[in-house]
Amino acid sequence: MNVLLACAAAVVALGLVFAWRRERRLLRRRVLLTEILDLADALEQELLECRARLREVPALAAAALSPAEQVSARATLAAEPQVQEALRDLLAHRLWLKQHAANASETELVAARDALDATRSTLARQLERLADVRADVEQTRATVAAQPSEVPH
């Protein structure tokens, strides 16, 4: 009878260990999915902000820069197709999650999270460069506005 009780206790203990491990694994998956969705939302907002800033540069440049400098500033619009491509990639990423998140391995989810994080880091550097361009345009505008206008003789 004692052997039977010991076996039953061992089975219950093993069941509890397996249940605990399963819950931990499910919790890790939920945390990963939450991180992925939060990163995707943040990336989307940053891409939309980047696109809006890119579209502002030519108007700023037109008011403050010479025609040659304006051409350079308009060249920043060449980055807009890259932003559009990133938005399409993000949509594809979201669709993949919708279709495969339930069956994706933890490794696949970690890779998805890391890819989004790397894209956000790259975009952050591009936004910094865009802020620098904008600051340069603003500086030029201020310098031009501060210069006395020449009166022809």
Side-chain angles (χ1 to χ4, degrees), residues 30 48 66 88 93 109 120 126 130-131 137-138 142:
R30 281 193 300 270
L48 294 174
S66 70
R88 279 191 293 278
H93 210 80
L109 294 176
R120 282 193 70 212
Q126 291 173 343
L130 193 54
V137 169
E138 292 292 338

Side-chain angles (χ1 to χ4, degrees), residues 82-100:
Q82 294 169 337
V83 172
Q84 289 301 115
E85 182 66 26
L87 285 166
R88 279 191 293 278
D89 288 347
L90 181 59
L91 177 59
H93 210 80
R94 287 182 190 268
L95 290 173
W96 180 88
L97 277 173
K98 184 176 181 181
Q99 295 170 350
H100 302 285

Side-chain angles (χ1 to χ4, degrees), residues 60-66 69-70 132-147:
L60 290 171
L65 303 177
S66 70
E69 292 169 320
Q70 288 177 27
D132 291 343
V133 168
R134 185 183 182 114
D136 290 346
V137 169
E138 292 292 338
Q139 173 89 24
T140 302
R141 178 187 282 179
T143 302
V144 168
Q147 292 176 349

